[in-house]
Amino acid sequence: MNSPDDIEVDWEVDDSAARVLESSSTYDYLNITRDSSPTKTLHIQDFIFKPARSESGTLILRPSRYTVPTGKTDLPGLTIPVRLTTLKTLVTTLEPEDHQALGNAVSEAMDSSNLSKFDPKLKLVRHRVTVMRVDRDAIIGVTAEAVLRSAGGQGPWHVTDWHQEGSNACVKTDGGAWAGVTYYLMYVNYLIRKSVLDLPGIKSFVCDPP
């Protein structure tokens, strides 16, 4: 997306039955790539977690501008026909059998300031979720995103980048700062690491600090 003004954009992807498959906003992506050209292009990537029932749909963009004198002003929106896929991908994450045990382990690690070697030996169980099909090279990113979405939090966090070099996987996440976010990140980063290491061919993992 590009605009000569500093704008924020809400977006929504619907299938032909007007089912909302995914929706979000630039407000939820703090470090969106905003280039320095006069058009101020916004580059956003996201996953669609609800599979489509049709191969056609609509992308709806609702831009707005905010200034101190006028507050938020809605701008003319755009409705764009898009092609979808009805194919699906099964994403597997690892979750603690006892969520409280992981929470207690995080609290103990933070109290002891032993943050760099956080690796509690907990029983983890596989959780599976079906999403709209993603390319094979995006399975690391969608796995990490699935962990973030299942873990909740006071504000949204998202995967902003991922890559694989040989058997090493790297994931970068970003989101807002709120009370308890350090606790939250230790909790979800542990589960992201375990889930990504469970993928075939991955033997080591690095989570870039946000």
Side-chain angles (χ1 to χ4, degrees):
M1 297 177 289
N2 61 72
S3 168
D5 301 318
D6 289 320
I7 63 169
E8 301 294 341
V9 181
D10 297 336
W11 71 84
E12 177 181 307
V13 179
D14 302 345
D15 63 13
S16 61
R19 294 170 62 248
V20 179
L21 306 181
E22 197 68 41
S23 63
S24 192
S25 170
T26 52
Y27 286 106
D28 294 339
Y29 289 75
L30 299 186
N31 287 332
I32 291 173
T33 302
R34 301 174 186 260
D35 67 25
S36 58
S37 68
T39 57
K40 296 190 170 91
T41 303
L42 307 177
H43 301 277
I44 303 168
Q45 64 179 5
D46 201 359
F47 296 101
I48 298 178
F49 268 60
K50 183 180 293 184
R53 295 177 183 171
S54 63
E55 295 185 347
S56 63
T58 305
L59 170 64
I60 302 172
L61 303 177
R62 302 184 179 95
S64 62
R65 180 192 296 113
Y66 179 85
T67 62
V68 174
T70 63
K72 180 181 177 182
T73 302
D74 292 331
L75 302 173
L78 291 173
T79 299
I80 305 169
V82 294
R83 288 184 297 176
L84 303 172
T85 177
T86 57
L87 299 178
K88 304 170 184 177
T89 295
L90 184 64
V91 179
T92 301
T93 61
L94 293 179
E95 297 187 353
E97 185 177 62
D98 184 348
H99 288 267
Q100 187 60 48
L102 178 54
N104 292 340
V106 170
S107 295
E108 292 173 4
M110 294 188 68
D111 290 342
S112 65
S113 299
N114 187 20
L115 309 182
S116 60
K117 298 180 180 180
F118 182 70
D119 190 20
K121 307 306 178 185
L122 302 174
K123 184 175 181 179
L124 302 176
V125 295
R126 286 183 171 83
H127 174 74
R128 292 176 173 86
V129 59
T130 301
V131 305
M132 183 181 287
R133 185 188 68 83
V134 297
D135 293 336
R136 184 175 180 84
D137 60 2
I139 195 65
I140 293 173
V142 74
T143 298
E145 181 73 14
V147 172
L148 290 169
R149 296 196 184 199
S150 67
Q154 296 180 36
W157 275 67
H158 293 286
V159 173
T160 57
D161 193 21
W162 68 89
H163 63 271
Q164 180 178 349
E165 296 180 3
S167 60
N168 179 66
C170 180
V171 171
K172 185 174 183 179
T173 61
D174 192 40
W178 28 267
V181 71
T182 303
Y183 175 101
Y184 169 80
L185 290 177
M186 179 173 286
Y187 188 102
V188 296
N189 286 345
Y190 169 80
L191 294 178
I192 289 174
R193 183 172 75 252
K194 294 295 186 180
S195 298
V196 171
L197 287 173
D198 193 51
L199 294 172
I202 303 298
K203 297 181 179 179
S204 60
F205 173 80
V206 174
C207 188
D208 286 348

